[in-house]
Amino acid sequence: MSVKWLIALVLLSTGVSAQVEMQSNQSYSLPHFYFDALNFRSATSESRLDFYFQIPYNELQFVKEGNEFYSAYEIFLQLTDSDGNPVLSESWNEKAVAKKFDETVDPNIFSSSQRHFTVKPGSYTLQVAVTDSETKKSYMAQRAFVARDFSSEPESMSDIMLLKGSSQSEGKHVIVPNVDENVISQKKSFPVFYEIYFQKPSDSVLAVTEIFGPKNSVAYSSGEWMKGAVGANQEFASIPKDSLAMGAYRLSISLKRSSSEDAEVLAAATRFFTIHFPELPLTITDLDKAADEMLYVARSRTIDSIKSPPDIFVKEKRFIEFWQRFNPNPSSHQNPPMEVYYERVAYANAHFSRYFPGWKSDMGMIYIMFGPPNSVDRHPFEIDSKPYEVWYYYQRNRTFEFLDDTGFGDYRLLNPQWDSESPPYGPDFSPR
């Protein structure tokens, strides 16, 4: 069995379906750039916006000059108030340098920038635009930003900064912000930095750190007593993560006078972070489930070999090795067949789930293997027959009919027809 169908799967995914509801409008791709906007108290007790930015080299256009490669781009930042009025507009130019060509297309090498601004307390919208100087291509993003009034409360907190790492240099802390919010690279714990501000001396406060997972469940909780000195108190903490699965989490740090559950919260800050392998599609949040979803492209022993290691990094290595065999451009950091496959799995789970996950359903199976149909003929209310649907794939000269025998939306495939050009149901591919 060849990999021919998988390449076709990628090519056909660009076709236009006659039934738009059969296609997913959700984007599963990584952002073109990352930025973080954090609120701290300035040296003059005013509110400060600390802006951190990074863009992967593969999103920039490099030009060779001598023995090196150069790229230039412009960052535009605008802060607008609740009425949409601009209160801050800044733009500046940045450059990126690569020693060799391979670096220019590497998504794991970043060009970084940072700026600091003084702003009045209030709620804002932060808009960021990046324009490549060579191609003139622009990308935009926005997020909410709240500037606190640090002088209005006896105790207050800054935002929480995720860190890639920190070190001491000439008696000062040197910190490296984690702008993309992904902490997968730190195996057992990840560092954070924040500041606590006191208007007057405080004997002590309890800093309660919590991590909330899916459905707001508490995945981690701890408390540490701290002495409160007047002014800004810089705090570094290490947050355990070795027991956390892949996914999105919310980190919360709150200050209390006592450890009782009903103790008053003096100040608090929250932020989100993710645990995700950058080589994997964003739709994959559980490697064991992702391995199970390989049913249509892998033998059971292959799936078991991916799921068996207790170390998540070993699981990920075996998973990537399997899919790399079908990458039409192995030297690329992207793997279109894997990305398309799991986009379709995500769509199937969102649209065809009934008594079991959508990828296990007959409709899910066909959608994953063939993609969105060119046309769908629906018959949900026929007088003399049970509900049924017919999916047409014109390029493949294929037709699939599904019957809802129970009347509860559980459509089953009728008269499946397979041949040598059909995707395999079980065996591994042989890339020949």
Side-chain angles (χ1 to χ4, degrees):
M1 187 66 68
S2 73
V3 74
K4 187 188 301 183
W5 84 268
L6 196 52
I7 302 301
L9 176 148
V10 178
L11 297 176
L12 287 174
S13 67
T14 61
V16 178
S17 170
Q19 297 288 331
V20 293
E21 65 270 26
M22 295 302 296
Q23 294 194 12
S24 172
N25 294 321
Q26 183 175 354
S27 174
Y28 299 110
S29 59
L30 290 170
H32 296 288
F33 64 87
Y34 302 90
F35 71 94
D36 203 359
L38 303 169
N39 187 212
F40 288 86
R41 195 182 77 174
S42 71
T44 58
S45 297
E46 294 179 300
S47 199
R48 191 180 80 222
L49 164 61
D50 287 4
F51 175 78
Y52 299 93
F53 171 92
Q54 67 179 29
I55 184 169
Y57 269 27
N58 67 325
E59 294 287 354
L60 299 171
Q61 180 65 50
F62 284 82
V63 177
K64 189 175 183 179
E65 296 182 14
N67 295 324
E68 296 182 323
F69 299 83
Y70 294 86
S71 178
Y73 60 95
E74 181 188 48
I75 302 175
F76 174 74
L77 178 152
Q78 182 170 268
L79 202 65
T80 57
D81 61 21
S82 56
D83 295 324
N85 301 313
V87 298
L88 172 67
S89 295
E90 294 283 342
S91 64
W92 64 96
N93 296 314
E94 295 286 353
K95 288 186 176 181
V97 182
K99 298 293 184 181
K100 51 187 179 180
F101 175 77
D102 288 349
E103 295 178 357
T104 68
V105 292
D106 194 333
N108 299 312
I109 301 178
F110 296 89
S111 176
S112 302
S113 181
Q114 64 182 63
R115 287 290 190 276
H116 307 282
F117 308 96
T118 299
V119 297
K120 293 182 179 180
S123 297
Y124 302 96
T125 297
L126 176 62
Q127 299 168 314
V128 180
V130 183
T131 303
D132 188 291
S133 300
E134 184 69 21
T135 64
K136 306 304 178 183
K137 184 181 294 185
S138 294
Y139 303 112
M140 293 177 286
Q142 69 178 39
R143 54 159 285 187
F145 176 77
V146 176
R148 300 177 178 85
D149 183 356
F150 293 107
S151 63
S152 64
E153 299 293 339
E155 303 90 1
S156 56
M157 278 184 64
S158 72
D159 286 336
I160 304 169
M161 177 187 291
L162 300 177
L163 300 179
K164 289 288 188 183
S166 64
S167 60
Q168 288 279 352
S169 177
E170 298 180 354
K172 294 183 179 180
H173 259 108
V174 178
I175 59 177
V176 181
N178 183 345
V179 182
D180 64 15
E181 300 184 334
N182 190 356
V183 301
I184 190 69
S185 61
Q186 290 110 338
K187 288 192 175 182
K188 293 187 176 181
S189 63
F190 61 93
V192 299
F193 167 75
Y194 60 97
E195 291 183 344
I196 305 175
Y197 311 108
F198 293 97
Q199 301 286 358
K200 57 183 180 180
S202 176
D203 291 336
S204 61
V205 293
L206 178 65
V208 179
T209 301
E210 296 176 296
I211 295 176
F212 298 89
K215 298 181 180 179
N216 214 33
S217 59
V218 179
Y220 171 80
S221 180
S222 70
E224 180 182 0
W225 287 97
M226 301 176 177
K227 288 188 176 181
V230 175
N233 298 261
Q234 295 187 339
E235 303 293 341
F236 291 85
S238 182
I239 311 298
K241 61 165 280 287
D242 54 343
S243 62
L244 301 179
M246 286 201 304
Y249 296 88
R250 178 168 59 91
L251 172 65
S252 171
I253 300 177
S254 55
L255 305 181
K256 298 182 178 182
R257 291 288 185 206
S258 72
S259 58
S260 63
E261 292 187 4
D262 58 348
E264 178 188 2
V265 176
L266 307 176
T270 62
R271 72 159 307 136
F272 290 91
F273 68 90
T274 61
I275 300 176
H276 192 273
F277 288 99
E279 299 87 357
L280 300 182
L282 292 180
T283 55
I284 297 179
T285 58
D286 186 316
L287 272 175
D288 286 345
K289 289 182 179 179
D292 286 334
E293 290 162 348
M294 288 164 48
L295 174 65
Y296 308 124
V297 294
R299 298 182 186 275
S300 59
R301 64 172 177 265
T302 302
I303 295 173
D304 291 341
S305 71
I306 294 174
K307 296 173 60 177
S308 59
D311 190 323
I312 190 173
F313 291 90
V314 178
K315 289 179 189 285
E316 193 261 354
K317 181 176 181 293
R318 294 183 180 181
F319 184 89
I320 291 296
E321 286 176 348
F322 173 84
W323 281 101
Q324 189 64 10
R325 288 184 293 166
F326 314 124
N327 192 344
N329 185 7
S331 63
S332 172
H333 293 278
Q334 294 181 313
N335 191 328
M338 177 178 65
E339 293 168 0
V340 170
Y341 186 88
Y342 281 99
E343 283 183 7
R344 293 181 177 181
V345 168
Y347 187 93
N349 287 336
H351 293 80
F352 307 129
S353 294
R354 291 296 183 267
Y355 310 108
F356 39 78
W359 72 268
K360 290 185 176 181
S361 69
D362 286 358
M363 281 187 166
M365 176 182 65
I366 298 302
Y367 189 92
I368 291 168
M369 294 194 295
F370 292 99
N374 299 107
S375 179
V376 177
D377 187 11
R378 293 183 172 89
H379 298 268
F381 305 114
E382 298 291 330
I383 297 177
D384 55 349
S385 69
K386 295 180 179 180
Y388 70 97
E389 288 189 10
V390 183
W391 291 9
Y392 298 94
Y393 292 86
Y394 301 134
Q395 296 98 326
R396 288 178 168 268
N397 193 26
R398 290 276 182 175
T399 300
F400 297 100
E401 187 174 358
F402 302 90
L403 177 67
D404 180 10
D405 193 50
T406 64
F408 291 98
D410 182 20
Y411 284 85
R412 299 299 178 94
L413 182 63
L414 296 178
N415 302 320
Q417 300 176 12
W418 308 114
D419 57 32
S420 60
E421 294 299 314
S422 298
Y425 187 89
D428 289 341
F429 296 118
S430 177
R432 291 193 287 266

